[in-house]
């Protein structure tokens, strides 16, 4: 999933201070799972904003809605008949959802309600960590299913650097060395010989460095 | 034992403080509460192991939110007492009531009254 974290309320107040009809829009998918922008977070934010404006003696309409997703036309369309009642939208979806909303409703200011962080997993409730950077050419088959692009600070592909100590990365003793994980896993799989195979230079043109990306599937297009 | 606690305190009973959600705390202030005490069992004595520890974290989060909208985070507090400590309960509640009195009423309550 896409992992996001809640934005400081002060920052959101700054985004919407000049408006008086505000719609807060949550997303039922990734940001609900990482507890940053689902129905509940929308309710807490709405309540805090209402109190903020009441405290200032300003009458502001604040409504809440949570869509199934904000990265698909069909769900964003659900707002078509009501969005004109507002003068600003705060989207608590990831940056993808915020932008798609803005593209669809060209005359409506759309503000981000969360900080989008990475693609990752729920390690345990309240702890999320990164697993993939969408490099466009997945190499997990060569690295025991552990991604050195997202999990090795130096993105090394042929074993650890000299800074790996007791299984931890030299950038931070709380970060596990991705190569330690890869080697442990290869051992478990009885595939340590894979570690000896040189991984050739990676083609980075499919990664973000090659500019904005797009996937087109003509066979499923309508 | 019959003890008197401040009459303006309204008690909401819950099976465990672990049931208290952030939204309940925040909404209480939106509805005009001047202060909220979450009173749980002693740490380490939770029947559900971590209910009261979780409640404390949520209270701390509610404090941050109230501070960020300048309502005063101290309006919400967590206390850990055992159910046999009635005098201590009265003491804690009375002190909290005094503290809230010093802070003044919740400005939201005043705004709601004006609007009504
Ligand atoms: S808008 Fe973002 S958070 Fe919502 S489902 Fe799509 S990718 Fe996930
Ligand atoms: S190799 Fe690329 S696509 Fe595969 S998990 Fe890592 S970043 Fe993601």
């Amino acid at each position: 999933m896409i992992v996001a974290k809640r934005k400081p309320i002060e920052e959101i107040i700054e985004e919407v201070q000049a408006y008086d009809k505000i719609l807060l829009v949550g997303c039922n998918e990734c940001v609900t799972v990482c507890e940053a922008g689902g129905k509940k977070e929308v309710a807490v934010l709405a309540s805090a904003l209402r109190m903020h404006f009441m405290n200032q003696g300003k009458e502001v309409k604040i409504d809440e809605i949570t869509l199934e997703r904000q990265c698909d036309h069909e769900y964003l369309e659900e707002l078509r008949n009501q969005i004109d009642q507002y003068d600003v939208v705060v989207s608590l979806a990831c940056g993808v959802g915020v932008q798609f909303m803005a593209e669809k409703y060209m005359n409506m200011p759309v503000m981000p309600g969360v900080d989008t962080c990475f693609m990752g997993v729920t390690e345990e409730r309240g702890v999320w960590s990164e697993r993939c950077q969408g490099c466009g050419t997945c190499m997990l088959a060569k690295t025991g299913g552990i991604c050195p692009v997202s999990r090795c600070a130096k993105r090394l592909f042929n074993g650890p650097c000299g800074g790996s100590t007791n299984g931890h990365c030299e950038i931070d003793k709380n970060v596990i060395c991705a190569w330690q994980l890869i080697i442990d896993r290869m051992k478990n799989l009885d595939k340590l010989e894979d570690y000896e195979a040189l991984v050739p230079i990676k083609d980075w043109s499919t990664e973000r460095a090659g500019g904005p990306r797009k996937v087109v599937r003509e066979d499923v297009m309508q | 034992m019959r003890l008197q606690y401040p009459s303006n305190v309204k008690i909401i009973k819950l099976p465990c403080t672990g049931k208290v959600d952030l939204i309940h705390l925040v909404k209480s202030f939106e509805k005009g509460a001047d202060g909220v005490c979450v009173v749980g069992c002693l740490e380490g004595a939770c029947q559900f192991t971590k209910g009261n520890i979780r409640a404390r974290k949520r209270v701390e989060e509610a404090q941050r939110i109230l501070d960020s909208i300048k309502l005063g985070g101290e309006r919400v507090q967590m206390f850990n007492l055992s159910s046999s400590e009635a005098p201590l309960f009265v003491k804690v509640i009375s002190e909290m009531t005094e503290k809230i009195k010093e802070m003044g009423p919740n400005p939201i309550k005043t705004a709601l009254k004006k609007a009504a």
Side-chain angles (χ1 to χ4, degrees), chain A residues 25-39:
Chain A
V25 189
C27 178
N28 233 343
E29 304 262 359
C30 321
V31 290
T32 292
V33 180
C34 64
E35 305 192 44
K39 199 172 174 189

Side-chain angles (χ1 to χ4, degrees), chain A residues 1-2 4 26-32 34 67-72 91-98 100 116:
Chain A
M1 81 183 125
I2 295 189
C27 178
N28 233 343
E29 304 262 359
C30 321
V31 290
T32 292
C34 64
L67 302 177
E68 196 51 39
R69 280 200 289 282
Q70 292 190 31
C71 50
D72 270 315
S91 161
L92 282 85
C94 70
V96 175
V98 178
F100 215 32
T116 305

